[in-house]
Amino acid sequence: MMLFFGGSFDPVHVGHLIVARDVLEVVGASRVVFLPAYQAPLKEAHRASPEDRLNMLRLATKGQEGFEVSPLEIERGGVSYTVDTAEELSKRLGYRPTFVVGADSFLKLHMWKEPEKLLQLARFVVIDRGGREKEVVGYIKERFPNLKEGEDYTLVRVRRIDISSTEIRQRLAEGKSVRWLVPPEVEAYIYERKLYRNP
């Protein structure tokens, strides 16, 4: 089974990679496919270009067994709606794709584009990093009562890693080190391309 892990990855950091590896092992999937958004619909404009974010992901996952990067949303351009990606992937694969999503994002599912259609097209692995399992279950019962655990979604508890792309961008803007927060190849790329220098 493949898992699709979407996001801004602005920039990708070690927290993304550790969570992806944890989920891969817990779920027993064959691989995690990282799907960088051209423009995430519920976020401000990304700081790094789509090409730079794609390149950083490729550097971060190079040689890592079970990790792949897909340029699908970058190549499509425009706002990256998950329902559009799910529709395209389901046609390519011939079955419902499975998306990895954090509990905080999943709890906003009713705000996503065509959520009911999306839930017919795709399955979800919901990552619980902060003990929000009851909140997620309650949200599903209230908003999407037809969803079945194990069939339409799976809740996975993973370790909590307090690293964020926002913090990394802020540190870079302030001239602080991001060593150990991002893979060395990504750190070198950021400095080479002079990314995130301004807040």
Side-chain angles (χ1 to χ4, degrees), residues 64-100:
Q64 297 298 315
E65 186 178 354
F67 284 178
E68 288 182 22
V69 179
S70 169
L72 189 153
E73 293 188 342
I74 300 286
E75 290 174 350
R76 190 171 66 223
V79 178
S80 301
Y81 293 110
T82 306
V83 68
D84 298 334
T85 302
E87 193 162 27
E88 192 165 343
L89 286 173
S90 63
K91 287 175 183 174
R92 290 186 186 186
L93 299 169
Y95 57 83
R96 295 166 79 194
T98 301
F99 289 93
V100 176

Side-chain angles (χ1 to χ4, degrees), residues 145-195:
N146 294 327
L147 291 191
K148 295 177 182 175
E149 186 171 5
E151 186 176 322
D152 301 309
Y153 74 95
T154 303
L155 267 166
V156 174
R157 185 172 292 177
V158 298
R159 75 189 85 208
R160 185 176 180 86
I161 302 164
D162 288 320
I163 302 173
S164 73
S165 297
T166 302
E167 178 198 0
I168 291 166
R169 293 194 302 269
Q170 187 63 40
R171 291 184 66 84
L172 288 162
E174 294 170 358
K176 295 178 180 176
S177 172
V178 292
R179 181 66 54 88
W180 317 126
L181 299 177
V182 298
E185 299 84 355
V186 172
E187 182 184 13
Y189 184 91
I190 287 170
Y191 289 132
E192 180 187 332
R193 298 279 293 176
K194 300 180 173 62
L195 301 178

Side-chain angles (χ1 to χ4, degrees), residues 96 106 109-110 115-116 119-120 135-153:
R96 295 166 79 194
F106 189 80
L109 188 65
H110 60 285
E116 295 289 353
L119 291 168
Q120 290 177 353
E135 191 178 352
V136 170
V137 171
Y139 172 79
I140 290 170
K141 284 181 179 176
E142 181 186 343
R143 294 274 186 173
F144 307 103
N146 294 327
L147 291 191
K148 295 177 182 175
E149 186 171 5
E151 186 176 322
D152 301 309
Y153 74 95

Side-chain angles (χ1 to χ4, degrees), residues 45-64:
H46 306 308
R47 292 291 310 283
S49 71
E51 292 74 22
D52 280 330
R53 291 183 289 108
L54 181 62
N55 289 338
M56 286 188 281
L57 261 175
R58 285 174 168 158
L59 287 169
T61 57
K62 186 177 181 181
Q64 297 298 315

